[in-house]
Amino acid sequence: MRGFGVASATAAAIAATSLFVSTVAADLDPIVIKGSKFFYKTNGTQFYIKGVAYQQNYDGNGTSGSDTSTDYTDPLADISTVKRDIPYLQQLYTNTIRVYAIDPTVDHSEAMSALADAGIYVISDLSSPSESIDRSDPAWTDTLFARYTAVVDNMANYTNTLGFFAGNEVSNAPNNTDASAFVKAAVRDTKAYIAQQGYRTIGVGYATNDDADIRVDMADYFNCGDQSDAIDFWGYNIYSWCGDSSYTESGYDVRTEEFSTYSVPSFFAEYGCNSVEPRTFTEVQALYGSQMAPVWSGGIVYMYFQEANDYGLVTVSGDTVTTNQDFKNLASQLSNVTVSGTQMSAYTPTNSAASCPTEGSSWAAKATPLPPTPNEQLCTCMMESLGCTVSSSADTDNYGTLFGEVCGYGDACDGIAANGTTGDYGAYGMCNSTQQLAYAFNAYYAAQSSVASACDFNGAAATKAATSGGSTCSSLMAEAGTAGTGTVTSQPTGTGSGSSSGSSGSASSAASSSAGATMNTVLGVESGVLPMVFIVTMAAVSGMGMILL
């Protein structure tokens, strides 16, 4: 992420004739996927994204903090600002906006209804700045799963929800491509959750940066293998057309050839280089022209709001919106776009999934297995079963040292392993940091015949009464195995922590809320466990001073 006067004719017609199946939000014809193209579900016309990135004050991109407060402004929460901006989005022929983080506890019915009335769809990222997969410390945890499924619950029943992004530029260089294994697991589990909850089919994709060293492997990795694990669409953040460039000078010709055989829809999730200002957006004619339109499904211009990075199309001050020269240039370019595509009934997909890349110097993510599906109940059951746990007085700032120490003692950390390069994953590697540390403390304690002195770690650990947790816990933990290295096939039912979108989602949310309620009392740190490579290094040092009990 860098720091289309009316909607398209088809979208406007659909918006004008939409039926209201709810008293809350107007319906647009859902967008469906067939092969490598998007289509309107009802009339089968091919859909091309004419989009604008729409969010102020956001910085995500694969880095995550430990602060779990609301660290972003939900762009769909304030209906007055959405209504303020819709006329300007319509002047840009917008039929899609991309939002990078929403608050899943907020009701977005008014905003989604207003956007639907304007013929505008929404692609929503699932993460937030403090709840995302961190490229330097990758993990796919029960906390992140709760965040992702809450956003799905909130948005799924709006027919103008086009799709979700499970990550944005998480792996952005060869030295952090292992993180892609965790993002692909997030794609897999979000898709499974949508199906499990009985929602309509909504695509889950990924948005990548344009790094020459990894872009081909990235696209192949997320598209390869079991298609229930693979992305439904591919978003490309690309800024190589700057100023008065050309189809060949920008490299668009090479990128188009690369994606000509891709088996799912691909589009520009961000575009609009600003190294030459004002931006003239001459790439628009190429993107929707005869050479690119057969391959790409349009694109999303970065960005609506003017901020410090100088990518804004408009400047906003209170209720006043001032259009910039970039706005006028983009509107002019899009006014000349005519793209018809093909009819869904006449289209027979021929492209097949890519082959998985081989791990090497420029690619580190193993194709299979992927990290396990987060399961709150399993983590809760595990915590109940422990005789040694994390003391309430333990300082979270010392977790790194504590992990290094306990992981130096034999195989205490096998059950919390999470290595995207080797494909080694412990059953509890998706639990939160406190739960993982407690598991490791207990594993060491058990290996030392449960003598009290083995559950101390300078006061960071404490003994407690172990409980069985009932038959469900027994079954789950049997799948995990005594060493914590088994495969748990029982699937979670979600969290229900989001505000449901429309009446049809209420029952599933209530059921899910009951299933996940016990996790609310578990002490935890939400940023995940430290990278296993760091733990192993610390363990090698700490193990030298190990005291045999």
Side-chain angles (χ1 to χ4, degrees):
M1 178 172 61
R2 304 294 180 184
F4 276 131
V6 294
S8 67
T10 304
I14 292 172
T17 59
S18 292
L19 297 176
F20 287 77
V21 298
S22 165
T23 59
V24 177
D27 279 355
L28 277 181
D29 194 12
I31 302 302
V32 298
I33 295 171
K34 181 179 181 181
S36 61
K37 303 182 188 301
F38 292 116
F39 296 94
Y40 290 103
K41 181 179 180 179
T42 301
N43 65 17
T45 301
Q46 187 173 351
F47 179 81
Y48 287 89
I49 294 171
K50 297 177 182 177
V52 176
Y54 184 77
Q55 185 135 13
Q56 287 182 287
N57 306 318
Y58 179 84
D59 184 18
N61 293 354
T63 58
S64 179
S66 59
D67 179 10
T68 57
S69 62
T70 302
D71 45 11
Y72 56 90
T73 301
D74 182 341
L76 305 181
D78 186 346
I79 185 61
S80 65
T81 61
V82 173
K83 287 183 175 180
R84 177 200 66 195
D85 294 331
I86 283 175
Y88 296 95
L89 293 170
Q90 290 180 311
Q91 290 177 52
L92 294 172
Y93 301 84
T94 302
N95 63 16
T96 306
I97 60 171
R98 177 182 177 184
V99 296
Y100 292 88
I102 66 160
D103 182 349
T105 67
V106 171
D107 182 1
H108 295 104
S109 297
E110 286 189 287
M112 293 300 288
S113 179
L115 290 166
D117 288 342
I120 297 174
Y121 294 84
V122 175
I123 300 177
S124 176
D125 286 46
L126 294 167
S127 61
S128 71
S130 64
E131 293 180 294
S132 62
I133 298 172
D134 187 339
R135 66 173 69 98
S136 65
D137 181 8
W140 175 230
T141 66
D142 51 18
T143 301
L144 291 180
F145 183 71
R147 160 76 196 185
Y148 279 42
T149 56
V151 174
V152 170
D153 287 340
N154 187 282
M155 298 291 287
N157 286 316
Y158 302 119
T159 61
N160 57 329
T161 297
L162 193 158
F164 301 107
F165 278 128
N168 181 70
E169 300 186 5
V170 179
S171 294
N172 64 354
N175 65 355
N176 55 42
T177 53
D178 61 311
S180 288
F182 299 87
V183 182
K184 192 168 182 179
V187 171
R188 174 201 64 199
D189 294 338
T190 305
K191 290 173 59 171
Y193 179 78
I194 290 170
Q196 179 193 69
Q197 296 299 100
Y199 296 134
R200 67 179 174 87
T201 301
I202 307 173
V204 180
Y206 177 74
T208 184
N209 71 317
D210 183 30
D211 185 282
D213 293 327
I214 62 173
R215 58 188 170 207
V216 173
D217 283 342
M218 283 283 293
D220 289 350
Y221 181 79
F222 279 92
N223 181 236
C224 75
D226 187 338
Q227 290 302 285
S228 63
D229 301 344
I231 43 98
D232 296 314
F233 54 78
W234 188 246
Y236 203 175
N237 299 344
I238 183 168
Y239 293 85
S240 61
W241 187 305
C242 301
D244 191 19
S245 189
S246 70
Y247 182 58
T248 54
E249 182 182 353
S250 65
Y252 277 22
D253 58 335
V254 180
R255 305 288 81 78
T256 300
E257 177 62 26
E258 289 170 352
F259 280 90
S260 63
T261 58
Y262 213 56
S263 67
V264 299
S266 53
F267 58 92
F268 288 3
E270 292 176 6
Y271 75 94
C273 170
N274 71 348
S275 65
V276 177
E277 294 185 302
R279 294 182 288 179
T280 54
F281 292 106
T282 52
E283 67 264 46
V284 165
Q285 302 309 313
L287 180 58
Y288 298 97
S290 60
Q291 291 174 299
M292 296 185 70
V295 173
W296 302 95
S297 294
I300 299 171
V301 171
Y302 191 82
M303 126 77 67
Y304 182 77
F305 298 98
Q306 177 71 314
E307 295 182 324
N309 59 14
D310 203 28
Y311 277 90
L313 299 171
V314 305
T315 299
V316 175
S317 177
D319 295 330
T320 303
V321 177
T322 303
T323 60
N324 301 333
Q325 187 61 46
D326 286 6
F327 180 100
K328 299 176 177 66
N329 292 343
L330 179 60
S332 176
Q333 291 290 346
L334 288 168
S335 70
N336 293 317
V337 166
T338 301
V339 55
S340 57
T342 186
Q343 282 295 120
M344 183 163 55
S345 59
Y347 169 58
T348 302
T350 57
N351 295 347
S352 56
S355 298
C356 294
T358 302
E359 302 96 84
S361 59
S362 62
W363 188 256
K366 193 174 180 66
T368 186
L370 294 173
T373 300
N375 191 319
E376 289 181 322
Q377 190 170 23
L378 173 62
C379 297
T380 301
C381 291
M382 178 269 288
M383 289 292 284
E384 292 175 348
S385 74
L386 303 182
C388 178
T389 189
V390 177
S391 169
S392 60
S393 62
D395 187 344
T396 57
D397 290 340
N398 294 331
Y399 274 19
T401 300
L402 291 168
F403 273 117
E405 182 179 356
V406 70
C407 290
Y409 298 160
D411 53 5
C413 291
D414 288 356
I416 59 171
N419 192 314
T421 299
T422 64
D424 292 325
Y425 303 104
Y428 303 108
M430 49 72 192
C431 300
N432 67 45
S433 298
T434 297
Q435 293 167 334
Q436 291 190 34
L437 186 57
Y439 173 86
F441 281 169
N442 188 76
Y444 176 69
Y445 173 69
Q448 302 302 317
S449 302
S450 301
V451 298
S453 57
C455 184
D456 182 63
F457 291 89
N458 294 319
T463 58
K464 75 173 187 66
T467 58
S468 64
S471 60
T472 300
C473 282
S474 297
S475 177
L476 286 170
M477 294 190 66
E479 291 182 31
T482 55
T485 55
T487 299
V488 178
T489 58
S490 301
Q491 296 298 301
T493 56
T495 66
S497 57
S499 174
S500 179
S501 59
S503 58
S504 61
S506 299
S508 60
S509 290
S512 297
S513 179
S514 176
T518 56
M519 277 303 295
N520 294 333
T521 61
V522 175
L523 173 67
V525 175
E526 311 305 339
S527 58
V529 71
L530 293 172
M532 285 305 294
V533 65
F534 176 77
I535 292 173
V536 170
T537 302
M538 287 293 295
V541 175
S542 299
M544 296 176 183
M546 184 174 76
I547 299 174
L548 298 176
L549 298 176

